[in-house]
Amino acid sequence: GAVVSQHPSWVICKSGTSVKIECRSLDFQATTMFWYRQFPKQSLMLMATSNEGSKATYEQGVEKDKFLINHASLTLSTLTVTSAHPEDSSFYICSARAFSGASGTQYFGPGTRLLVL
Amino acid sequence: EDKVVQSPLSLVVHEGDTVTLNCSYEVTNFRSLLWYKQEKKAPTFLFMLTSSGIEKKSGRLSSILDKKELFSILNITATQTGDSAVYLCAVEARGNNRLAFGKGNQVVVIP
């Protein structure tokens, strides 16, 4: 159980286009999902926390108009990178929080590699 | 600000060796500590620890938490080349559900 999927796994796009990444919890409901980005040989950097039915909470330094997050249902959150530029090229990973009593475990999707030319 | 420090940052061992990875943390209102394994893709979940002194075990991997001294260790016994990965430690605080990650322990197991 506790499987999280992401789509697409790879994206190559031209500068200026927008890219949408989907994150789904397949066998559990997640009221909270998280979006991270990871640069080579670095740890995960939290971008935003996505709560079902409400606005996302962005980390300091992350532009909310650049990285649009929508959490439309208990199993789906989307991240749209608007007007992507080469510096947005990165590995984007989502996670979904599954509850077990008072504690929850975050399970990660397989990630999306974005390359902006 | 929550802080997670992992050591050693990288190590190389031979197959069959035992590896001990350390994670120390400072967090306000601690809820849990999690270990993940990351190879070329996204992290895969290993353990979640919430109580001191209770060892969690999965095959050749085990982990324990000390909430008094604020650290956790992850042990890998009889290492295999498939254990080569970055092992990430993260802590979760009550209230915001966010994870603060350490920089990871990169483990390379050579035949």
Side-chain angles (χ1 to χ4, degrees), chain A residues 62-112:
Chain A
V62 178
E63 298 175 58
K64 62 179 181 181
D65 296 329
K66 171 81 173 172
F67 299 100
L68 299 177
I69 291 171
N70 183 274
H71 194 152
S73 76
L74 287 172
T75 59
L76 173 64
S77 176
T78 60
L79 168 69
T80 301
V81 183
T82 61
S83 187
H85 288 96
E87 59 266 28
D88 298 322
S89 299
S90 189
F91 187 41
Y92 292 87
I93 312 170
C94 74
S95 71
R97 193 166 185 273
F99 283 89
S100 174
S103 295
T105 301
Q106 280 192 35
Y107 293 94
F108 287 85
T112 298

Side-chain angles (χ1 to χ4, degrees), chain A residues 6-114:
Chain A
Q6 251 181 271
H7 178 81
S9 54
W10 267 100
V11 179
I12 301 174
C13 68
K14 291 183 180 179
S15 189
T17 59
S18 292
V19 175
K20 188 175 184 179
I21 303 170
E22 290 188 352
C23 177
R24 292 181 187 272
S25 56
L26 296 185
D27 50 1
F28 65 100
Q29 292 183 330
T31 53
T32 307
M33 291 184 172
F34 302 85
W35 287 96
Y36 298 83
R37 66 189 293 183
Q38 186 177 36
F39 292 105
K41 299 193 185 295
Q42 293 188 23
S43 193
L44 282 77
M45 184 192 83
L46 180 65
M47 298 174 66
T49 303
S50 168
N51 293 296
E52 187 264 337
S54 63
K55 288 184 180 179
T57 303
Y58 290 82
E59 295 299 302
Q60 194 171 12
V62 178
E63 298 175 58
K64 62 179 181 181
D65 296 329
K66 171 81 173 172
F67 299 100
L68 299 177
I69 291 171
N70 183 274
H71 194 152
S73 76
L74 287 172
T75 59
L76 173 64
S77 176
T78 60
L79 168 69
T80 301
V81 183
T82 61
S83 187
H85 288 96
E87 59 266 28
D88 298 322
S89 299
S90 189
F91 187 41
Y92 292 87
I93 312 170
C94 74
S95 71
R97 193 166 185 273
F99 283 89
S100 174
S103 295
T105 301
Q106 280 192 35
Y107 293 94
F108 287 85
T112 298
R113 293 196 185 277
L114 172 62

Side-chain angles (χ1 to χ4, degrees), chain A residues 43-44, chain B residues 6 34-36 38 43 86-90 101-104:
Chain A
S43 193
L44 282 77
Chain B
Q6 292 185 245
L34 298 94
W35 283 98
Y36 293 88
Q38 186 174 24
V86 174
Y87 292 84
L88 294 168
C89 174
F101 280 90
K103 292 187 176 180

